[in-house]
Amino acid sequence: MTEKTFYNFTLFDGTGDQNQADAWFTVDTETGALTQRGTGQHPQTDETVDLNGQYVMPGFLNVHTHVTSNPDAFDGRFGDSEAESAVFAYQNLQKLLKSGVTFARQLGTDYDVDVKLKRMQKKGLLAHTPHFQASGRAFSMTGGHGDSPHGGWTVDSPDEMRKGVRTALKNGVDVVKMMATGGVMTPGDFMDDPQLSVTEMKTGVVEAHHKHRKVASHAEGNPGIQNALDAGVDSIEHGFYVTEAEAQQMLDQGTYLTPTLIAEWTIPAYGKGVLPDWEVKKCADALDDTYKNFKRAFKMGVKFTCGTDAGTPFNGFDMTPREFELLTKVGMTPAQAYQCSSLNSAALCEVADKYGTLEVGKQADFQVLKADPLADVKNVQQKDKQVYLGGQREF
Ligand SMILES: [Zn+2]
């Protein structure tokens, strides 16, 4: 084992709301894990790295991304072949890492490209990519949100769901994604359209949980959010119209909320005159209500995660850092906004033993910033930040 010690930096480890000045930590370069940590005089190890008084914080966990979706094309597509999708997915994983995302959960990927890429990553064939969980294609009803030629897995009965989820698990998915409501990007498809039924979703949830996998449900409006909660999903994705009663049910059941604020924000911000009017209007109307609903849910104690829905219009793979600025508008302090990523996202994905915070025993996945992230959430938006995986510099 060789040991590398980083020193001379201010540390925000992702757990509380305080920085530690004049910090250092040591990494086992074979396992990538932190072996010791402290302040003041640092130990002499095989290698030492002076971080010149900069700021260190954990790499981000982004629990909702779509690496085969194109944020710059109005139909959301990169091309019509699996080869094209795979190449773009690889590039998008690299963009995520460069922006500071060291762990990304895929929630709906054309051709199950993420499942296949993960197998290649395990063989060491994907350079400069974050750790990730793969969902493969998302489950949707015929004609529902996500029923696209290569991106959806349509099911129209509990039996079809059972067979589908079992097959996806056999293929190696880490997480199951289901569509409980309509969405923004399909014409004639609305946030308050309920889609997969409670029974269909519940059947999938039982199968996923039998294999110790989580279920993430796309649910933007009602009654779909309620349906997804009644089916027992582990996270409500988007949840823009979450009611007080639903927030209470989330607390009772331990369900997480992935707000994906940036996805709702980019469309009215950049879409006027570019995207169809109906799509811009759907998002602008929803954003005001969303802040109101999220403020209430957050005050009640619902656990928010960090997810951006990267791949939706204008919502690129470099934009995760901007989500934290929007989370502060829900009433969070900068530290609370980062904890959506460091603590809550790691807990939702059941990877908190390895990822999320910078504590002894966990992976040394971190970013180095010029300015204090606790002083201003915009400081994490630095473009030329340094990013490390297991103590190895990637960008
Ligand atoms: Zn999504």
Side-chain angles (χ1 to χ4, degrees):
M1 143 172 140
T2 52
E3 289 196 312
K4 190 197 281 189
T5 297
F6 295 85
Y7 67 98
N8 188 19
F9 57 89
T10 298
L11 174 67
F12 169 62
D13 69 9
T15 61
D17 60 359
Q18 298 293 317
N19 280 329
Q20 284 187 306
D22 194 18
W24 58 264
F25 53 61
T26 304
V27 181
D28 175 341
T29 56
E30 273 155 46
T31 65
L34 289 162
T35 56
Q36 49 177 342
R37 200 185 100 172
T39 54
Q41 187 57 45
H42 64 85
Q44 288 303 326
T45 51
D46 305 300
E47 210 185 319
T48 52
V49 182
D50 184 350
L51 291 178
N52 302 309
Q54 296 187 85
Y55 292 82
V56 168
M57 70 180 292
F60 297 128
L61 282 77
N62 183 336
V63 301
H64 191 138
T65 64
H66 299 278
V67 284
T68 51
S69 295
N70 185 350
D72 303 316
F74 305 140
D75 65 356
R77 300 191 65 75
F78 279 114
D80 289 319
S81 74
E82 180 168 356
E84 287 162 290
S85 286
V87 170
F88 284 113
Y90 184 20
Q91 291 177 347
N92 291 334
L93 285 167
Q94 292 180 326
K95 284 181 191 168
L96 283 165
L97 183 60
K98 188 173 191 301
S99 77
V101 175
T102 51
F103 182 98
R105 187 169 75 154
Q106 305 307 319
L107 286 187
T109 313
D110 290 359
Y111 304 97
D112 299 339
V113 149
D114 51 346
V115 179
K116 298 161 191 170
L117 286 180
K118 190 161 170 181
R119 283 201 287 268
M120 295 177 74
Q121 190 189 47
K122 278 188 184 148
K123 291 180 190 158
L125 296 169
L126 301 190
H128 309 301
T129 51
H131 310 289
F132 64 95
Q133 288 187 341
S135 71
R137 288 166 290 153
F139 289 91
S140 141
M141 67 171 204
T142 295
H145 188 67
D147 176 5
S148 63
H150 312 291
W153 191 321
T154 51
V155 292
D156 293 298
S157 70
D159 284 344
E160 285 186 15
M161 179 66 95
R162 184 179 291 111
K163 177 92 176 173
V165 170
R166 285 178 179 175
T167 308
L169 291 165
K170 178 182 161 188
N171 292 345
V173 301
D174 301 302
V175 56
V176 172
K177 169 80 180 290
M178 295 177 186
M179 304 300 192
T181 72
V184 176
M185 287 165 54
T186 320
D189 183 43
F190 296 95
M191 299 188 201
D192 57 0
D193 293 349
Q195 298 199 343
L196 288 169
S197 71
V198 178
T199 333
E200 285 164 342
M201 286 190 281
K202 201 179 230 167
T203 306
V205 168
V206 167
E207 293 301 326
H209 286 177
H210 281 171
K211 291 295 281 179
H212 310 288
R213 297 288 188 265
K214 300 287 174 128
V215 176
S217 173
H218 164 106
E220 297 186 357
N222 282 302
I225 297 173
Q226 184 65 56
N227 290 346
L229 289 172
D230 290 345
V233 303
D234 301 289
S235 65
I236 297 290
E237 305 293 319
H238 317 300
F240 301 140
Y241 287 94
V242 64
T243 66
E244 186 172 351
E246 287 163 347
Q248 186 56 50
Q249 192 172 346
M250 293 177 81
L251 285 169
D252 296 342
Q253 295 182 187
T255 318
Y256 289 83
L257 176 66
T258 307
T260 64
L261 282 160
I262 189 99
E264 226 187 358
W265 176 81
T266 52
I267 292 174
Y270 300 118
K272 278 195 195 92
V274 187
L275 289 174
D277 290 344
W278 59 261
E279 188 171 344
V280 175
K281 191 174 172 343
K282 262 200 226 183
C283 271
D285 290 350
L287 194 54
D288 296 338
D289 296 333
T290 297
Y291 278 120
K292 228 181 292 158
N293 299 332
F294 284 178
K295 274 183 189 161
R296 181 180 53 213
F298 179 65
K299 258 197 202 137
M300 289 171 68
V302 171
K303 287 198 169 131
F304 284 58
T305 60
C306 167
T308 62
D309 213 5
T312 60
F314 314 105
N315 184 8
F317 294 86
D318 56 349
M319 288 178 75
T320 308
R322 294 196 76 155
E323 178 74 6
F324 301 98
E325 191 183 341
L326 301 175
L327 285 169
T328 60
K329 295 186 179 162
V330 175
M332 298 186 196
T333 63
Q336 286 170 327
Y338 302 136
Q339 284 165 10
C340 293
S341 161
S342 63
L343 294 176
N344 298 350
S345 295
L348 168 63
C349 297
E350 290 199 327
V351 294
D353 58 327
K354 280 180 93 170
Y355 308 123
T357 60
L358 292 170
E359 297 173 280
V360 170
K362 297 194 187 185
Q363 290 293 295
D365 295 349
F366 61 93
Q367 41 189 325
V368 183
L369 303 164
K370 291 190 181 109
D372 183 0
L374 290 182
D376 186 344
V377 275
K378 289 194 186 115
N379 289 341
V380 299
Q381 296 170 16
Q382 184 188 326
K383 294 282 179 206
D384 60 346
K385 61 175 68 166
Q386 296 177 27
V387 183
Y388 290 76
L389 281 180
Q392 290 289 328
R393 186 158 176 193
E394 299 286 338
F395 287 102

